Amino acid sequence: KEELNFDYINIKDFITKTQYGIDIISGMNLIFGSDNQNSPTKIRNIIKKAKSEYDVVVIDTSSYGLLDYTKEIFKVSDNIIFISGANILEIKKTKKLLKIYEEEWGIERRKIQIMFNKYTEESIDTQVLRNIFNNYNVLGKIKLRDYYDFIINQRKSGIKRINDEIKIIEERLEQSNIRIKQIKNRI
């Protein structure tokens, strides 16, 4: 962060290429979150540069939706996908934020689309959600599946298990080397 020249940021310095033809630009919090970088003009220029280089640019902003740089990103975005939970607390939060975005920030409603995340059987019914947000394009819902947590958790325990196995192998190799050295010393 200390090495960044905020007067001139080359977005290419933050790109990680993947094998899937998708580039990931990480460090956005460094680019946009700095006190030195909160200039609306600089933020707009960075986004425009990214838009000129890519067919689609997806920016994952902070879940705290009232940051100055979020406002500037929203203003220059073609579409905004707002992700919300499908419960009373998340809906209240979403309604408040959407009101701020439209009334105080001047974000056009037509740009905002809503997606409900971590949807379960206990979540508010999809049709009720569509009725609550009837002035918005509701894209749909992403179901919460225990399977995802299972995979994530198994991966962590799997990695630990693999690391434990590697340690055992290393210890056995080390013991074998000691035994081999002892045998060689006797000969």
Side-chain angles (χ1 to χ4, degrees):
K1 185 174 182 176
E2 291 79 28
E3 296 174 15
L4 290 177
N5 177 358
F6 289 101
D7 293 325
Y8 176 77
I9 288 184
N10 186 351
I11 202 79
K12 291 181 180 183
D13 294 338
F14 294 88
I15 293 174
T16 301
K17 300 241 180 232
T18 70
Q19 65 186 10
Y20 306 104
I22 297 172
D23 292 349
I24 297 171
I25 303 172
S26 69
M28 296 306 271
N29 59 328
L30 296 177
I31 296 170
F32 295 128
S34 170
D35 294 336
N36 299 324
Q37 188 56 25
N38 282 334
S39 159
T41 303
K42 288 180 184 178
I43 292 171
R44 279 191 296 268
N45 288 340
I46 290 168
I47 301 299
K48 284 179 185 176
K49 176 74 172 159
K51 284 171 126 180
S52 72
E53 305 232 353
Y54 293 96
D55 297 326
V56 176
V57 177
V58 177
I59 301 171
D60 182 9
T61 60
S62 169
S63 60
Y64 178 73
L66 297 176
L67 299 172
D68 288 340
Y69 72 84
T70 303
K71 177 180 179 179
E72 293 308 316
I73 290 170
F74 283 7
K75 285 184 176 183
V76 297
S77 294
D78 298 322
N79 292 292
I80 299 162
I81 299 174
F82 191 99
I83 299 178
S84 174
N87 60 58
I88 295 293
L89 293 175
E90 288 295 316
I91 289 171
K92 285 182 179 181
K93 176 182 162 187
T94 299
K95 300 263 308 163
K96 284 181 186 178
L97 285 172
L98 291 174
K99 185 176 181 178
I100 291 169
Y101 295 162
E102 290 180 55
E103 293 177 9
E104 295 178 25
W105 289 10
I107 306 300
E108 298 173 45
R109 182 175 290 177
R110 66 169 180 75
K111 291 171 60 169
I112 301 170
Q113 299 166 72
I114 300 174
M115 174 71 72
F116 295 100
N117 193 21
K118 300 178 184 173
Y119 194 89
T120 69
E121 289 180 13
E122 303 303 320
S123 296
I124 295 175
D125 182 72
T126 306
Q127 191 55 50
V128 173
L129 293 170
R130 288 186 185 280
N131 289 342
I132 292 170
F133 295 100
N134 65 350
N135 293 325
Y136 297 92
N137 182 22
V138 175
L139 298 174
K141 59 189 177 194
I142 302 170
K143 291 183 180 179
L144 176 64
R145 300 196 190 278
D146 293 337
Y147 181 70
Y148 299 145
D149 283 338
F150 174 75
I151 290 173
I152 292 166
N153 292 334
Q154 286 295 73
R155 183 167 182 254
K156 286 183 181 179
S157 65
I159 290 170
K160 182 184 179 335
R161 194 171 346 140
I162 290 168
N163 286 335
D164 291 345
E165 290 172 5
I166 289 171
K167 279 183 185 180
I168 291 168
I169 292 168
E170 287 173 343
E171 288 169 4
R172 287 181 182 162
L173 284 172
E174 194 174 302
Q175 289 172 356
S176 295
N177 286 336
I178 291 172
R179 279 192 222 123
I180 291 170
K181 284 180 186 178
Q182 288 172 348
I183 293 169
K184 283 183 179 179
N185 288 338
R186 287 185 201 158
I187 299 176

